[in-house]
Amino acid sequence: MDVLSAAYRVAHDFRPHGAVGLAKKMGIPAGTFLNELNPDAETHKLGLGRAVAMSVAANDLRIAHAFADTCGLIAFPKPDLSNVSDAALLDLWLAHAEADGRFAEAVRHALADGSISEQELSAIRATAYGCAAAVLEVVERLAGLRDG
């Protein structure tokens, strides 16, 4: 999905009241916002700052994921390690192993019938992001243990 389509979906899928509800939450005129989301509008364009603001207000990361995908990257949340003790490192490693297992299970399940549906691909992506995030949690915790 391209970033403009993602922005359109983030706004119109917002609950309650779709794009109008999101505009209200963001404190901007609904008409202006709807024009910015319209790919055919010549006079209004959705700016990067507005895209970030709407992602945060909607708690929806589809725009960030579409942006990353367009650039050949993946995006996932940074781990919060502020309350993790050194003793929790083993627990983080085991969480990574569990996430890796969920990813393998999603792939195996999807391939069982010889084809992959959109829903199965979504499950694979979600578990892949979880697996990658778990690895990065371990890395960040190890970085906290480094000397100096």
Side-chain angles (χ1 to χ4, degrees):
M1 178 182 313
D2 68 83
V3 292
L4 295 178
S5 296
Y8 183 90
R9 289 283 24 115
V10 166
H12 289 280
D13 292 347
F14 183 76
R15 297 292 173 249
H17 311 298
V20 173
L22 184 55
K24 183 176 180 179
K25 183 174 183 177
M26 294 169 58
I28 59 174
T32 300
F33 188 50
L34 289 168
N35 285 331
E36 289 176 349
L37 295 169
N38 180 354
D40 298 324
E42 294 293 324
T43 58
H44 293 78
K45 300 293 179 192
L46 183 68
L48 184 57
R50 179 91 80 212
V52 170
M54 65 187 284
S55 295
V56 171
N59 193 28
D60 189 322
L61 300 177
R62 284 182 282 182
I63 298 169
H65 287 290
F67 185 90
D69 188 57
T70 299
C71 296
L73 305 169
I74 59 171
F76 45 88
K78 295 190 299 184
D80 175 13
L81 301 174
S82 59
N83 294 317
V84 177
S85 67
D86 293 347
L89 184 57
L90 177 60
D91 189 54
L92 286 174
W93 183 258
L94 293 173
H96 161 259
E98 289 173 355
D100 198 30
R102 284 190 296 273
F103 173 71
E105 181 180 21
V107 172
R108 186 169 39 107
H109 174 76
L111 294 173
D113 64 358
S115 67
I116 298 178
S117 69
E118 189 61 39
Q119 184 178 10
E120 289 168 330
L121 185 58
S122 291
I124 289 169
R125 279 193 178 114
T127 57
Y129 290 153
C131 190
V135 169
L136 291 176
E137 284 186 74
V138 173
V139 170
E140 288 302 309
R141 186 62 196 129
L142 289 170
L145 296 174
R146 73 178 175 264
D147 293 333

